[in-house]
Amino acid sequence: MKAYERLLEYVVIKTPSCEANASSTPSSSCQFDLAYVLADEMKELGLSDVYVSDKCYVYGKLPATSGYENIACIGFIAHMDTVEEFTEAAIHPVLHENYDGNDVILGESGRVIDVKTFPHLPDLKGRTLITTDGNTVLGADDKAGIAEILTMIEELIHNDIPHGPIAVAFTPDEEIGSGAEDLDLARFGAKYAYTLDGDTEGEIQFENFNACSATFDITGLSVHPGDSKDKMINASLVAMEINGMLPGAEIPRNTEMYEGFYHLTDMKGDCGKAELHYIVRDHDASRFASRKETLKHIEKIMNEKWGAGTVKLTLKDQYKNMSEIIQDGNMHLIDHAKKACELAGIVPIVSPIRGGTDGCQLSYRGLPCPNLGTGGHGFHGPYEHITVEGMDLVVKMLVELVKLNM
């Protein structure tokens, strides 16, 4: 079976994770629907030790071919969940054969994947493009990764390609940041692994943001506006003042590559109470620490100005840059991925992740785990798309990667 054929089967099984239920794993029971389908398929392919945990993690192993049992076990990981947004309707994948490289009209939805917004589209001319009808996400993030991993396994088996031991795992809840937390590394059994959760084929990523959340809780003093002289402290105005103290150019819209930012995700408030919620990101650990110190300094200044207890800052670390782990004795993973791309006829693209990945958490748990591209684009919305040929190239690259692990 081709990778895209698997993808078409997987995407119609809706698996949105649920932020509101993030304290439970999985956050949505629908993820089990795909988990059991994958487990059955893995058994049919010939994987051993196939297991679905009570937290919706799917495990399996491909034993080494004879004579290669002592080679270090390599792992491949992808996630089963999708974002919650644009998942209300049934998912209808659409194939555009011999795509002409121009704007793509998505059915009768009124949406268009346009070249201005997605300038890579002309590079896909002549391929078979896969989209939705414009009403939902496609789910290639990350069901394309799942399809490519299992297709790679099938090719190794059916073509009698010698290989060492291979571990496979499919995780829940990556989209809400908890997909790696309960992965049983002992059961998984790999010495190192790759996540298949990136974009363009050939993408290789081992540098991600250091990340934290920041919340300012502001307590004002609400009195009648007609009698408020030297009394009122308007919490909403204090919130505006706090945001105004942050460097205005250091926001996502104005930054790229290794540049960090402060991102105001949401806010609410009135005269008496207000809240500001930020995510804070930077690749460099020292600059990241400085960003947190800036926020603490703002809290201090505001309380000195408006009175102790007016402003309370809460910082919560989320994940760290995995580059420290990869560069400390694990750069062969990147070298192998680059070589595998070249052998598959793909130009390797080593780039930083302007976000996080399951691999960063797993790397700090003791499983070095860079991220690889799946060939998809436009994730997290109705403009998501991928190509049949791009998925085929990723499968070819994965086969070459396994060979390099010999």
Side-chain angles (χ1 to χ4, degrees):
M1 183 182 293
K2 301 266 285 184
Y4 87 92
E5 294 172 317
R6 286 189 161 90
L7 176 66
L8 296 180
E9 292 183 1
Y10 301 156
V11 296
V12 296
I13 305 171
K14 292 201 289 186
T15 56
S17 47
C18 178
E19 182 73 47
N21 196 32
S23 59
S24 298
T25 305
S27 63
S28 57
S29 61
C30 61
Q31 295 179 70
F32 276 111
D33 296 339
L34 180 58
Y36 290 123
V37 167
L38 295 175
D40 288 342
E41 183 175 356
M42 291 162 71
K43 292 174 184 176
E44 291 174 5
L45 284 173
L47 274 70
S48 64
D49 303 314
V50 176
Y51 172 73
V52 180
S53 76
D54 60 353
K55 293 191 174 182
C56 203
Y57 289 77
V58 185
Y59 303 89
K61 288 187 172 69
L62 181 63
T65 49
S66 180
Y68 298 94
E69 294 86 355
N70 293 326
I71 291 175
C73 181
I74 185 174
F76 295 94
I77 301 168
H79 66 87
M80 297 178 287
D81 64 314
T82 68
V83 292
E84 292 182 78
E85 296 81 5
F86 298 101
T87 58
E88 294 81 6
I91 296 171
H92 298 293
V94 179
L95 272 67
H96 308 261
E97 296 183 357
N98 195 24
Y99 167 57
D100 63 8
N102 295 315
D103 292 355
V104 183
I105 298 173
L106 298 177
E108 299 179 357
S109 67
R111 294 189 171 98
V112 177
I113 306 178
D114 64 272
V115 173
K116 181 179 179 181
T117 305
F118 299 99
H120 65 271
L121 285 171
D123 296 333
L124 305 181
K125 183 178 179 179
R127 294 187 178 189
T128 296
L129 191 70
I130 306 174
T131 71
T132 69
D133 59 6
N135 294 307
T136 65
V137 297
L138 176 60
D141 180 14
D142 186 27
K143 292 168 185 173
I146 297 171
E148 290 158 354
I149 290 170
L150 291 184
T151 304
M152 173 266 291
I153 293 291
E154 184 176 31
E155 293 205 5
L156 292 174
I157 295 171
H158 287 186
N159 295 316
D160 294 321
I161 297 173
H163 57 83
I166 298 172
V168 173
F170 303 128
T171 64
D173 293 341
E174 189 274 346
E175 297 293 0
I176 59 173
S178 57
E181 291 180 3
D182 292 303
L183 182 67
D184 186 336
L185 296 183
R187 179 180 286 276
F188 185 52
K191 183 176 180 180
Y192 43 76
Y194 296 88
T195 51
L196 268 291
D197 193 22
D199 297 340
T200 306
E201 61 266 20
E203 190 174 67
I204 304 166
Q205 299 172 317
F206 69 96
E207 300 171 285
N208 60 274
F209 278 139
N210 295 287
C212 75
S213 63
T215 300
F216 285 100
D217 290 294
I218 303 140
T219 302
L221 179 60
S222 182
V223 296
H224 191 286
D227 188 31
S228 62
K229 174 69 173 174
D230 297 327
K231 300 175 186 176
M232 178 184 286
I233 301 174
N234 189 319
S236 291
L237 290 178
V238 174
M240 294 169 64
E241 188 175 355
I242 289 170
N243 190 69
M245 297 178 75
L246 291 170
E250 295 179 14
I251 60 174
R253 179 179 174 86
N254 297 330
T255 54
E256 61 184 355
M257 296 297 289
Y258 294 97
E259 297 169 342
F261 57 74
Y262 303 91
H263 175 44
L264 179 63
T265 59
D266 60 280
M267 58 188 295
K268 63 181 180 180
D270 52 30
C271 185
K273 290 278 188 181
E275 297 175 13
L276 295 169
H277 299 274
Y278 295 88
I279 59 171
V280 184
R281 303 289 189 262
D282 210 301
H283 279 87
D284 182 85
S286 62
R287 290 198 301 266
F288 180 62
S290 295
R291 291 184 184 281
K292 292 196 283 188
E293 288 303 314
T294 295
L295 296 169
K296 293 175 183 177
H297 187 56
I298 291 173
E299 176 192 33
K300 177 176 178 289
I301 291 173
M302 289 292 96
N303 283 325
E304 288 174 350
K305 178 177 181 178
W306 296 106
T310 301
V311 174
K312 178 184 178 183
L313 170 67
T314 302
L315 294 172
K316 183 179 179 182
D317 285 326
Q318 296 171 311
Y319 49 83
K320 296 191 291 185
N321 190 344
M322 73 169 122
S323 64
E324 178 180 336
I325 303 299
I326 303 301
Q327 294 188 71
D328 185 17
N330 294 297
M331 281 301 291
H332 67 284
L333 299 175
I334 308 307
D335 294 337
H336 283 182
K338 290 164 65 176
K339 182 63 174 178
C341 285
E342 293 166 356
L343 290 170
I346 305 171
V347 177
I349 307 167
V350 180
S351 60
I353 307 171
R354 286 185 59 79
T357 173
D358 277 349
C360 63
Q361 296 185 45
L362 293 170
S363 292
Y364 279 95
R365 288 183 58 198
L367 180 70
C369 193
N371 188 46
L372 303 175
T374 64
H377 305 273
F379 295 156
H380 293 195
Y383 306 101
E384 191 178 3
H385 54 283
I386 195 166
T387 68
V388 169
E389 294 79 4
M391 295 186 72
D392 289 343
L393 285 170
V394 173
V395 172
K396 187 175 181 181
M397 180 269 292
L398 292 178
V399 171
E400 296 297 339
L401 189 55
V402 169
K403 292 179 183 178
L404 291 169
N405 189 51
M406 301 290 281

